[in-house]
Amino acid sequence: MDGENLLKLIFTSRLRRDLILALGRGPKVLRELQNELRSTPSSILHALKALESRNIVRQNESTREYELTNIGYLVYIQLKNVVDSLEAISKFENFWLTHDVKPVPEEFLKTIGSLKNSKLVVASPDELKSPHELYTDLIKRAKWVRAISSVVFREYSDAFLELAFKGADIEAILPEKTYEKFINMLEDKELGALKKLSNMRIYTLEWNPRVSFTVTDYVLAFGLLFPDGRYDMTMDLVSYDPKARKWALDLFHHYKQFAKRVL
């Protein structure tokens, strides 16, 4: 079976697609599939027969359960990723449409479905700083923080310094020019105290990654820049989902491999 026929088999029938996703969560007998998919036995059996003919599904003779073959499981993994990604894209359509997504490495855009359980926080006309204020509130309770920022504000600097002096483990990556601005914001006494902290580590990049996000032990706040390079203070994706936090942590480590420690 070539790739084109496989695509047609899966995406021209919602029932076949739903069967693969259902069986990806574990083997099931016909009645379980009926209850889960709310379809008739004849329709399900017809769809199962089509999937069996392409070695995607098989029936266990002893248990009568339908299950995915090895090929079926590979198809399920790819299908689930596509479904999750499309859900995240459609759910936050305006966010992706109005911001520059191209700086995010392609390997992470492929798994953008990890953000599907996020919440889009948008400032109202009379509360232009709401995502900004929410951000500083979110990180106050963090035990550890990993952050990348294309811009720096005094409020953010104060929040990170307060956390650092409380003992939270913090790593931040900044473009070189942004780091210079951060240092210039600090008083000599603050900078001297910061240099003595082993739990605060700052790295710089020679280029601007054009993404800004913070992931902690319990929350992710993810933002993007406008296409013209301006930082958007009015819109953030916020998620408590472990999958979203892992996605962001992996993205942080992707950039960290190119960064050098300066503090």
Side-chain angles (χ1 to χ4, degrees):
M1 175 172 53
D2 61 34
E4 184 175 348
N5 286 331
L6 182 58
L7 283 172
K8 288 180 180 178
L9 176 71
I10 297 169
F11 289 103
T12 58
S13 166
R14 180 169 182 173
L15 182 54
R16 289 197 291 265
R17 197 162 65 242
D18 288 347
L19 278 168
I20 294 171
L21 292 172
L23 294 176
R25 294 187 287 271
K28 293 176 176 65
V29 296
L30 180 60
R31 183 172 295 278
E32 290 175 307
L33 291 171
Q34 284 179 247
N35 294 335
E36 184 172 340
L37 303 182
R38 297 184 179 182
S39 186
T40 63
S42 59
S43 295
I44 292 175
L45 286 170
H46 180 74
L48 286 170
K49 185 176 181 180
L51 293 173
E52 284 181 301
S53 69
R54 301 300 177 91
N55 295 316
I56 293 173
V57 169
R58 66 187 172 205
Q59 186 177 31
N60 187 308
E61 293 184 1
S62 59
T63 65
R64 308 307 297 168
E65 290 179 319
Y66 290 93
E67 60 189 13
L68 296 178
T69 65
N70 288 337
I71 290 176
Y73 184 71
L74 291 173
V75 169
Y76 161 72
I77 293 297
Q78 301 304 318
L79 177 60
K80 186 176 185 303
N81 183 58
V82 169
V83 170
D84 287 348
S85 295
L86 292 178
E87 182 178 342
I89 291 169
S90 60
K91 186 176 180 180
F92 307 117
E93 180 178 355
N94 189 53
F95 180 73
W96 309 121
L97 192 62
T98 56
H99 294 80
D100 190 4
V101 300
K102 292 179 182 177
V104 180
E106 185 176 333
E107 63 190 279
F108 290 92
L109 291 178
K110 288 178 180 178
T111 55
I112 204 71
S114 298
L115 301 180
K116 71 174 186 176
N117 292 324
S118 304
K119 177 183 179 182
L120 185 61
V121 179
V122 183
S124 61
D126 56 340
E127 292 183 291
L128 291 178
K129 288 188 177 181
S130 61
H132 172 71
E133 292 169 347
L134 174 64
Y135 172 82
T136 55
D137 288 340
L138 284 174
I139 67 171
K140 284 181 179 178
R141 304 190 306 273
K143 295 179 181 178
W144 58 260
V145 176
R146 301 294 181 265
I148 293 180
S149 183
S150 299
V151 293
V152 65
F153 302 104
R154 182 70 218 197
E155 294 92 335
Y156 287 1
S157 299
D158 289 343
F160 274 88
L161 289 172
E162 183 180 346
L163 264 181
F165 289 127
K166 285 181 179 179
D169 188 76
I170 300 173
E171 288 191 350
I173 300 174
L174 306 172
E176 289 179 347
K177 291 183 179 180
T178 304
Y179 173 70
E180 291 173 5
K181 292 180 181 179
F182 169 70
I183 292 299
N184 291 333
M185 284 181 180
L186 301 179
E187 297 179 2
D188 292 341
K189 184 184 296 185
E190 290 177 314
L191 182 57
L194 189 59
K195 288 181 177 179
K196 295 178 182 179
L197 293 176
S198 60
N199 58 306
M200 177 74 170
R201 299 173 295 282
I202 299 180
Y203 304 82
T204 61
L205 286 171
E206 294 181 355
W207 77 95
N208 190 335
R210 294 173 63 87
V211 297
S212 292
F213 66 89
T214 298
V215 57
T216 78
D217 51 294
Y218 72 97
V219 70
L220 163 67
F222 182 79
L224 289 170
L225 278 64
F226 289 119
D228 62 7
R230 290 179 297 120
Y231 177 69
D232 182 11
M233 290 182 58
T234 67
M235 199 178 292
D236 271 345
L237 286 179
V238 175
S239 182
Y240 299 91
D241 189 340
K243 289 183 180 179
R245 290 189 286 110
K246 183 183 184 304
W247 180 88
L249 191 58
D250 289 344
L251 182 56
F252 175 86
H253 286 296
H254 167 82
Y255 287 112
K256 186 180 175 181
Q257 66 180 322
F258 303 110
K260 64 178 180 180
R261 186 173 177 180
V262 290
L263 191 66

